[in-house]
């Protein structure tokens, strides 16, 4: 009887990484191939941003430097440009006009103005033809209050970073947690540094955008960390760099959809939100791309550099629960 020369088929294993025998239309993108150049670029650019922050400084808005704030109500809808022109013609310097929910209620912010009887002068200046205005409230913010607000803002960012380090450490692994916090710190430094480099105004709305970006970037880092942990537990025969590349490739579609959705909203604020949302939208636009980049190359690269491997995610059996041979 002739023996069959056919070999037994190798059973497929769904737990194998997709790059091993994965379908031809699902390639693995080698993100970590560029981890060293990306790390050098990030380090150099972060140092440039820090140098700009400490040497050139930020163009702080009225919220931090002090000034005048007034709420105005008009009987008819009004354009921001009309009010700004009226204030400048009356001698007020650098006014910023924002709507408060509708085109009849506005808030005016200005640096500290010279002269007495500010409320009366302001009430006269904002009157427009066939559109009567009434000044609801005038507040003067001193420079000391602005400095205290600035210090508290820096403390809020620092506290957010510390709490996120604790959360990711408990939720995932310490190496990934430190990498995530370094990524968030990188996003903050670069975003604020770009405002310092170009001299763009930095006020509470921009600070709110920075805090929002910290949350956005952390969410992206958590998604990547969760997939890395899952793949380390189920993939056999792949080194840590390959596992990270597979994880980043699998989350790429979700990242693209998230970035696109946020970008559409941000562009709407940038072009249609008016002066009140313009710099908030600019900060979000900068941080959106910086945060996506850092989630790929900063946090994961640091974890790999610290020796991230499968043992970091495998539950170790305590010695008292290990099986031992029973001697009769």
């Amino acid at each position: 009887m002739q023996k069959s020369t056919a070999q037994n088929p190798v059973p497929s294993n769904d737990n194998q990484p997709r790059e091993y025998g994965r379908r031809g239309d699902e390639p693995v993108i080698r993100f970590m191939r560029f981890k060293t150049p990306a790390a050098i670029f990030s380090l150099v650019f972060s140092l440039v941003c820090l140098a700009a922050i400490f040497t050139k400084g930020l163009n702080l808005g009225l919220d931090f430097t002090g000034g005048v704030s007034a709420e105005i109500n008009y009987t008819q809808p009004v354009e921001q440009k009309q009010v700004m022109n009226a204030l400048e013609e009356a001698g007020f310097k650098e006014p910023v006009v924002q709507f408060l929910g509708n085109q009849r209620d506005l808030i005016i912010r200005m640096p500290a103005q010279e002269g007495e009887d500010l409320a009366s002068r302001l009430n006269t200046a904002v009157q427009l033809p066939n559109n009567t205005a009434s000044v609801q409230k005038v507040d003067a913010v001193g420079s000391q209050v602005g400095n205290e607000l600035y210090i508290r803002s820096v403390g809020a960012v620092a506290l957010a970073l510390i709490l996120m380090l604790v959360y990711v450490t408990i939720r995932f692994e310490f190496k990934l947690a430190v990498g995530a916090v370094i990524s968030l710190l990188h996003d903050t430094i670069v975003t604020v540094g770009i405002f310092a480099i170009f001299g763009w105004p930095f006020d509470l709305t921009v600070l709110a955008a920075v805090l929002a970006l910290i949350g956005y970037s952390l969410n992206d880092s958590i998604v990547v960390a969760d997939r890395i942990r899952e793949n380390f537990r189920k993939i056999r025969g792949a080194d840590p760099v390959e596992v990270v590349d597979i994880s980043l490739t699998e989350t790429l579609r979700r990242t693209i959809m998230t970035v696109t959705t946020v970008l559409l909203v941000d562009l709407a604020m940038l072009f249609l939100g008016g002066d009140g949302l313009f710099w908030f939208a600019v900060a979000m636009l900068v941080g959106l791309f910086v945060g996506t980049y850092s989630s790929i190359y900063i946090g994961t690269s640091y974890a790999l550099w610290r020796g991230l491997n499968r043992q970091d995610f495998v539950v170790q059996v305590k010695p008292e629960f290990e099986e031992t041979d029973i001697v009769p």
Side-chain angles (χ1 to χ4, degrees):
M1 183 176 178
Q2 187 177 1
K3 294 183 180 180
S4 174
T5 58
Q7 296 180 352
N8 294 329
V10 178
S12 62
N13 187 355
D14 293 336
N15 289 332
Q16 289 293 320
R18 292 187 180 182
E19 68 167 336
Y20 303 142
R22 72 185 302 179
R23 293 186 292 273
D25 59 343
E26 295 183 5
V28 173
I29 302 175
R30 301 296 183 181
F31 289 101
M32 293 296 102
R33 180 185 303 175
F34 307 103
K35 65 179 184 299
T36 301
I40 295 174
F41 169 77
S42 299
L43 178 61
V44 172
F45 193 63
S46 297
L47 291 176
V48 171
C49 291
L50 283 173
I53 293 172
F54 288 109
T55 59
K56 188 177 180 180
L58 293 170
N59 181 16
L60 297 176
L62 302 179
D63 298 315
F64 299 119
T65 60
V68 178
S69 174
E71 295 182 8
I72 312 296
N73 173 262
Y74 283 90
T75 57
Q76 301 293 331
V78 67
E79 297 293 333
Q80 291 173 307
K81 194 65 176 178
Q82 292 178 282
V83 181
M84 290 181 61
N85 290 338
L87 290 169
E88 289 173 351
E89 290 175 1
F92 290 98
K93 300 177 180 179
E94 302 178 16
V96 177
V97 179
Q98 300 174 353
F99 288 123
L100 290 175
N102 57 68
Q103 290 186 304
R104 294 189 300 109
D105 296 323
L106 301 93
I107 183 170
I108 299 173
R109 300 176 187 271
M110 299 177 291
Q113 305 292 316
E114 298 179 356
E116 300 178 355
D117 201 5
L118 179 63
S120 177
R121 292 169 49 209
L122 185 62
N123 185 68
T124 303
V126 296
Q127 303 300 324
L128 299 176
N130 301 320
N131 196 353
T132 305
S134 60
V135 179
Q136 304 295 324
K137 182 174 64 173
V138 178
D139 294 323
V141 180
S143 58
Q144 183 177 359
V145 176
N147 290 334
E148 292 178 358
L149 186 60
Y150 181 74
I151 295 173
R152 291 182 180 181
S153 300
V154 174
V157 175
L159 180 61
L161 294 175
I162 294 173
L163 293 178
M164 289 175 183
L165 172 65
V166 175
Y167 168 75
V168 181
T169 301
I170 297 174
R171 184 70 175 81
F172 296 101
E173 203 275 335
F174 184 69
K175 296 172 186 174
L176 285 174
V178 176
V181 172
I182 293 176
S183 174
L184 298 178
L185 189 60
H186 167 271
D187 299 344
T188 304
I189 292 174
V190 171
T191 303
V192 176
I194 289 177
F195 271 75
I197 291 171
F198 292 101
W200 294 339
F202 190 92
D203 54 17
L204 279 179
T205 60
V206 178
L207 177 65
V210 172
L211 292 174
L213 289 169
I214 290 176
Y216 171 84
S217 181
L218 178 68
N219 177 70
D220 208 28
S221 299
I222 286 177
V223 171
V224 173
D226 185 64
R227 186 56 59 91
I228 289 175
R229 179 179 61 179
E230 178 184 346
N231 284 335
F232 263 117
R233 288 176 173 176
K234 74 178 183 180
I235 290 177
R236 302 290 189 274
D239 61 42
V241 173
E242 290 175 325
V243 174
V244 170
D245 281 333
I246 294 171
S247 303
L248 292 172
T249 302
E250 291 175 348
T251 58
L252 181 62
R253 182 178 301 175
R254 176 259 176 201
T255 300
I256 292 175
M257 290 189 296
T258 303
V259 170
T260 302
T261 303
V262 178
L263 182 61
L264 291 174
V265 176
D266 188 66
L267 291 176
M269 290 191 296
L270 184 66
F271 294 107
L272 304 176
D275 295 338
L277 292 176
F278 180 79
W279 293 114
F280 176 89
V282 170
M284 287 291 295
L285 184 64
V286 172
L288 182 64
F289 292 102
V290 174
T292 302
Y293 161 83
S294 67
S295 298
I296 296 174
Y297 284 110
I298 304 299
T300 53
S301 296
Y302 174 84
L304 286 174
W305 176 67
R306 287 299 309 274
L308 186 71
N309 57 63
R310 185 172 180 270
Q311 298 302 318
D312 294 323
F313 302 98
V314 175
V315 178
Q316 301 294 330
V317 179
K318 294 183 179 181
E320 58 265 27
F321 293 103
E322 293 180 351
E323 294 183 359
T324 57
D325 295 333
I326 300 176
V327 179

